[in-house]
Amino acid sequence: MRARVADAPRRPPTRAWLYILLLIMSIFYLLPMYVMLVTGFKSFDEVSLKTMWNLPSGLALDNFVAAYNQLAPHLWNSLRLVIPTAAISAMLGSINGFVLTRWRFPGADIVFPLLLFGMFIPYQSILIPLVQFMRTTGLYGSIPGLALTHIIYGIPITTLTFRSYYITVPKEMVEAARIDGAGLLETYYHIFLPVSAPAFVVVLIWQFTAAWNDFLFAVVLTSPENWPITVALNNLAGSQIIAWNVQMAASLVAAIPTLIIYIFLGRYFLRGLMSGALKG
Amino acid sequence: MALKKLDKDTIIAMVLVSPSILAVLIFVYGFIAWSVRVSLSNWIGLLPDYEFIGLGNYLGLLKDPRFHIDVRNTLVFTILFVGGCLFLGVGLAILLDQGLRGESFFRSLFLFPMAISFIVTGVVWRWLMNPAMGSRMSGLNLLFDSLGLDFLVNKWHTTPNWGIAAIAIPAIWQMSGYTMALYLGGLRAIPESLREAARVDGASEIYIYRRIVLPLLWPVTLSAMIILGHISLKVFDLIIAVAGKQVALDVPSVYMWTTTFDGQFYGRGASIGILLLLSVAVLVIPYLYQTLREESTT
């Protein structure tokens, strides 16, 4: 904004170059989307690797129908996984974040670093015990087992996201509630919960995307009939029978839910990324 | 009276938060300890076998040619991926900081790959980076060929010895927008008065970026390097989706997965998992320590 006022009239040729650079970069980021879209909308007869960069002559849905037929049960699995995961994660995170903001308990100084580091661990380092645990409890192979996994390993990030949000609630409000005789739960219900919507959106989106996009936990913990979309897509892409054009359409189908969230709630998505990666 | 109230609240607080803290202690730290124990055993096959064999699995990895490939691949991938993301990230951030029209549109455009799974990215790039030559040429090679850019035609991830470098391309595609967002945050935090003062002194825009802006962005670069570095140590799904389980493109996370769950070498798998954890810890813990200290002083 500030630069536009000062520079725009002074140096027009440079600015033209900047736009050209911007367009070239845009092509790099759009290439995969372009291939997914033009391939997806070609009819089976029109598809060939030779012409993969050409636009389709019409809008055929053959590929999407074929992809959907392949993936439908797994899309459903992903939904069954992601919705409870996101909801439970957000509730847990909110309560944990609230309690840890309000209550300085003995050992708090150890809990935060432990939570924080828990966000970064490579899951290969807990995978064998996790599988043993799931086998023993009979949750191995199932969607609830996978959901539980995402909820537990999501506790650090959801708790810390809510905590960093709740820290900004003015102390005076909490103090006033305390003087009015409000206990811990009343304080949460009347003061913190009503202002929590943005933090809930951030955490819901974060956990939705994390669980939808996850591959490692899913491929290790679920049996084929319970595969979520990522495992099914990877399996489809590795098979010799499914044509590449169907794979492109299937990739788009698998990407659409998180893309829609990104398009409509992108700024919250970004906030989730930032809080997750930077401050913890 | 007041004391009693406090007690009740303390009990409620404990009841609310202890299941989560316990879960993290058990599922993260307890399971890490359990993995360490497995890594010190000779567990092979489906039935657990905790017979203690000391550091045998770790010493075995030191002599394991496949693990040597893994370490080299991880190094090559990390340098290219982190370097590429930082370069594109800072470049795009500076570009978008020039007050161009449509800034927020382009910002979203560069960032959207973040929302997609590495599996989707991998499956699409697998076709873009199709290594077939001659009449079966397709993907980017075909595009380069038809644009007269034949010198760019290459074998991508099937290039002998350097295939892992090609995997860095989709990884950069996915994460450079995020790096850009980190840098944009840093750029916006630099007071405009600082640049204005330099302009008044007659400094050129390039000079201002090199001598004032980039040095001030160093903390962002450091956090970005640590975040991207730890992602790169853990890279897994992208490689599987682009290339499947190929030894030439093997990395520790893939080795751990295949040796444990395909080969039933649980002891060896656990030791790879623990080495991965150690490498991430070395990278991340100093950074977290610093962040926590800053937070407690402010």
Side-chain angles (χ1 to χ4, degrees), chain B residues 48-120:
Chain B
D49 168 11
Y50 288 99
E51 194 197 334
F52 186 80
I53 59 154
L55 294 172
N57 288 312
Y58 295 95
L59 296 174
L61 285 176
L62 284 183
K63 286 178 284 183
D64 182 347
R66 179 165 169 193
F67 197 68
H68 295 171
I69 296 177
D70 291 6
V71 173
R72 178 188 172 274
N73 279 346
T74 303
L75 280 176
V76 173
F77 180 82
T78 301
I79 291 169
L80 292 173
F81 167 65
V82 176
C85 283
L86 291 179
F87 178 75
L88 273 186
V90 76
L92 290 174
I94 290 175
L95 194 58
L96 286 184
D97 199 41
Q98 304 303 311
L100 301 174
R101 227 166 270 209
E103 180 206 312
S104 73
F105 169 79
F106 285 107
R107 196 179 50 215
S108 306
L109 178 65
F110 300 147
L111 204 60
F112 89 89
M114 264 308 300
I116 297 175
S117 73
F118 269 129
I119 296 293
V120 168

Side-chain angles (χ1 to χ4, degrees), chain A residues 2 4 15 19 26 29 50 52-53 96 103 114 120 124-125 153 184 213 237 244 247-248 258 262 277, chain B residues 5 9 14 20 27 29 35 98-99 101 106 108 115 117 126-127 135 139 142 173 176 178 192 234 253:
Chain A
R2 61 231 173 204
R4 192 185 298 156
R15 297 195 86 67
Y19 280 108
S26 305
Y29 288 95
K50 278 264 103 69
M52 70 180 274
W53 294 99
N96 291 339
W103 182 43
L114 286 181
F120 289 92
Q124 272 83 3
S125 62
Y153 292 99
L184 194 75
N213 288 345
W244 71 283
Q247 294 179 19
M248 291 299 104
T258 49
Y262 174 77
Chain B
K5 178 111 189 147
D9 279 355
M14 274 170 63
S20 295
F27 282 79
Y29 297 96
S35 275
Q98 304 303 311
R101 227 166 270 209
F106 285 107
S108 306
S117 73
R126 172 198 183 108
W127 286 102
S135 62
L142 181 70
W173 177 79
S176 49
Y178 169 66
E192 181 59 19
K234 297 200 281 195
S253 61

Side-chain angles (χ1 to χ4, degrees), chain B residues 271-288:
Chain B
S271 65
I272 300 171
I274 294 302
L275 287 179
L276 258 179
L277 178 74
L278 287 177
S279 64
V280 167
V282 165
L283 187 71
V284 165
I285 284 179
Y287 168 72
L288 294 184

Side-chain angles (χ1 to χ4, degrees), chain A residues 89 115 118-123 125-127 129-131 133-134 145-158 206-207 217 221, chain B residues 23-24 26-32:
Chain A
S89 285
L115 278 179
M119 297 189 332
F120 289 92
I121 61 159
Y123 293 129
S125 62
I126 49 90
L127 219 44
L130 184 65
V131 170
F133 170 83
M134 291 295 168
L146 185 56
L148 180 71
T149 304
H150 281 296
I151 291 167
I152 289 175
Y153 292 99
I155 286 173
I157 193 164
T158 56
W206 179 262
Q207 282 297 87
F217 281 145
L221 293 179
Chain B
V24 170
I26 293 170
F27 282 79
V28 176
Y29 297 96
F31 279 12
I32 287 174

